[in-house]
Amino acid sequence: MTSATTPSAPPSAPEERRSTPPAAELGDGERERLDLAVDALQAGTRTWSALTVAQRVTLLRAVRTSVAAAAEDWAVTAAASKGLDGRHPLRGEEWLSGPYSVLGALDAYIETLSRLARGANPLDGVRLSRAPGGRTRVHAFPLTGIDRFLLSGFTGEVWLEPGVTPNAARAAAGLAQRTPRESGGVGLVLGAGNVTAIPVLDVLYELLAHNRTALLKVNPTQDALVPVFKRALAPLIEPGLLRITRGGPAVGAYLTSHPRIAHVHITGSAATFDAVVWGPSTGPGAAATTRRRREGRPRLKKPITAELGGVSPIIVVPGRWSDADLAYQAAHVATMRLQNAGHNCIAGQVVILSSDWEQADAFRAALRRAYAQAPERPIWYPGASARMHRATDSYPDALVLGDRLLVELGADDDASALQSTEYFSPVLGVVALPGNGQAFLDAAVAHANDTLQGTLGANVLIDPETETALGAGFERALTGLRYGSIAVNAWTAFGFITPTLTWGAFPGGTLGDVGSGIGVVHNALLLDRVERSVVRGPFRPFPRWIGASLRHPLSRGSSRGTILPTPPWFVSSRTGAAVSEGLTRHRADGGTLGLIATLLRALRA
């Protein structure tokens, strides 16, 4: 991870861009409480450094047990906090994006540390190959039989920076767990407010990738989950490896400037990052901030890593699609925008279509239907409604479909607001570029790289027949996409939820121009010098991929079989809530009968 600097508690959404309040706003009792938490974590660094890697595995297994025990309370509390009752069809999102993600991460970390404890390498048995441009490709998913079965058709690769050889990748794998007695001090995690797994996953990465004990400041939107977090993470709290605190910006400001905090990790927006690193951009301190930026003197004097979101493209490559293909991929796009009411840093926001595609109008019609027919849900994140109003002001002719907005732009329309503003709400735009085949794909990649704000994630939809026809040109186009996560016939959120992949911006962010962030998280194989992760999924669900593969035998190399009809994370899945809960319960405690029942529900999606 690249390091850099910061102070203040940024929430996970773009609207919260307050200047940092003075720490003096805190009372003496509050400052003393925070100091005691940092002191406990300072002592915890000695405890952590004294543990062997094998003992750390034992501790992680205890954490896994307590997370599994808290899973139902976690998912139900999270759903209720977002206005989803026990009958809402989308309540399954909180199972997958909460306890399921954390349990999967714990399983993957346990496997990595277990290998290290017995003197093996985290990459033993993991296939490595070469990727374009002198890169090494780590085939990081699936690595277990159950993942190959349940998530058949999905694969994931971690691409390392150009010049990193397979031998160098193996030599560095393990990060701080290769030197467990070297403490990284105390880290501060300023937690995201939108997805409940994020703060916990960030804490685990601080502990395992960097040997840092962690002080987690929970975003106020997740205050209701603090008791659940404390139960789930009790095995880390008891020995002083973790402390959890609530509080607003004043608490964040005090902690980021605390002399015994060695590092800060935040999830938020670039504007929040800038306010934290350099100071307020408005008000009495703005002049000093401008001077510091001009002179290259950040206000925060300690390293920082960050995940800051952006405007994510969905590139739709022209092909010959059936009506069922059009409907399925339209529902896919709707999911990318509407999951969690659009309050996701990785929500797809700009669909890039070919104006020369003969099926462009049919796809637009299918997208309108899918977008309108998705279940309604509360827009719950602070400031989201105001951002939607700003989108409406920018695009008064946009379609208002219940609780969501669809902006379809013509060649002469101004797309600058759509392409530079992370709306963090259910606002989806469609822009068109000329061309077909490789010419369109290359133009779309350039448009995404050069016009859309951020480098966090990009999505590409392409049928196997077209991918086969493009050949090496398709892989060349993927290589040209400057994004930290790329999903082909999948949503980049699949990369987020897959622990052996990495999550973060494309390398290159700096304190002065941070873009979508600095560094990566998740990364359960503990790989060094990561450039991006690439997810690939099935273009057609079960059973349609079978017939299409038989009709187009030359494209079988690109066609991917899957047992999933409609994935449970699709907003259109009729059984998504029950399947998501069932998959989480299976991840927690195994059990064949429960898994069979879950698979039967999945077939009715």
Side-chain angles (χ1 to χ4, degrees), residues 147-428:
D147 282 340
R148 290 187 187 93
F149 173 64
L150 291 179
L151 296 167
S152 55
F154 289 88
T155 59
E157 310 153 8
V158 178
W159 291 21
L160 306 181
E161 294 174 353
V164 178
T165 65
N167 283 340
R170 291 188 182 94
L175 296 180
Q177 297 310 301
R178 301 177 66 85
T179 54
R181 296 193 178 279
E182 295 180 11
S183 172
V186 179
L188 172 64
V189 173
L190 298 172
N194 59 329
V195 173
T196 63
I198 292 177
V200 179
L201 295 174
D202 291 348
V203 162
L204 292 175
Y205 201 66
E206 285 289 288
L207 195 62
L208 299 170
H210 302 292
N211 278 338
R212 285 193 284 260
T213 59
L215 177 54
L216 168 60
K217 195 201 82 66
V218 173
N219 188 286
T221 62
Q222 295 195 10
D223 277 353
L225 278 157
V226 169
V228 179
F229 287 161
K230 287 184 175 180
R231 291 199 307 277
L233 302 176
L236 298 179
I237 295 172
E238 289 162 5
L241 308 180
L242 171 65
R243 289 292 182 268
I244 302 174
T245 187
R246 296 179 173 94
V251 170
Y254 182 73
L255 291 173
T256 50
S257 60
H258 200 287
R260 293 192 296 282
I261 294 290
H263 178 271
V264 177
H265 178 79
I266 70 171
T267 300
S269 71
T272 304
F273 177 93
D274 287 343
V276 162
V277 171
W278 301 101
S281 59
T282 59
T289 298
T290 301
R291 185 168 60 252
R292 278 192 295 269
R293 294 200 70 142
R294 185 174 61 247
E295 297 171 355
R297 295 185 299 103
R299 183 173 64 174
L300 186 66
K301 305 300 181 186
K302 62 190 64 176
I304 182 173
T305 50
E307 190 266 272
L308 305 174
V311 175
S312 295
I314 307 167
I315 298 172
V316 181
V317 183
R320 297 183 63 183
W321 293 11
S322 68
D323 289 345
D325 292 338
L326 292 167
Y328 179 81
Q329 294 301 344
H332 200 176
V333 171
T335 296
M336 296 181 197
R337 180 72 262 184
L338 296 178
Q339 200 270 357
N340 198 24
H343 309 319
N344 289 329
C345 58
I346 201 56
Q349 182 165 305
V350 176
V351 179
I352 304 176
L353 285 182
S354 167
S355 56
D356 296 326
W357 184 26
E358 62 183 15
Q359 292 182 287
D361 288 342
F363 181 76
R364 287 175 182 269
L367 181 57
R368 290 185 206 110
R369 286 193 296 273
Y371 202 63
Q373 291 171 2
E376 291 198 9
R377 58 170 300 160
I379 296 172
W380 62 272
Y381 205 93
S385 296
R387 286 192 303 280
M388 289 191 70
H389 287 312
R390 290 202 294 272
T392 304
D393 291 341
S394 297
Y395 301 106
D397 293 330
L399 292 175
V400 180
L401 302 170
D403 59 348
R404 59 209 64 158
L405 203 65
L406 181 61
V407 181
E408 297 189 64
L409 299 180
D412 297 328
D413 293 324
D414 182 3
S416 56
L418 176 69
Q419 297 179 144
S420 63
T421 306
E422 183 189 1
Y423 286 115
F424 213 74
S425 60
V427 178
L428 178 68

Side-chain angles (χ1 to χ4, degrees), residues 465 540 544-556 559:
E465 299 77 41
R540 298 180 176 100
R544 283 197 302 109
W545 67 268
I546 300 173
S549 182
L550 293 174
R551 289 193 302 273
H552 302 281
L554 294 180
S555 68
R556 285 178 187 169
S559 182

Side-chain angles (χ1 to χ4, degrees), residues 106-126:
L106 286 165
D107 286 341
Y109 282 128
I110 287 168
E111 176 60 26
T112 292
L113 267 65
S114 295
R115 292 185 179 195
L116 289 168
R118 60 178 183 262
N121 189 285
L123 293 179
D124 285 352
V126 178

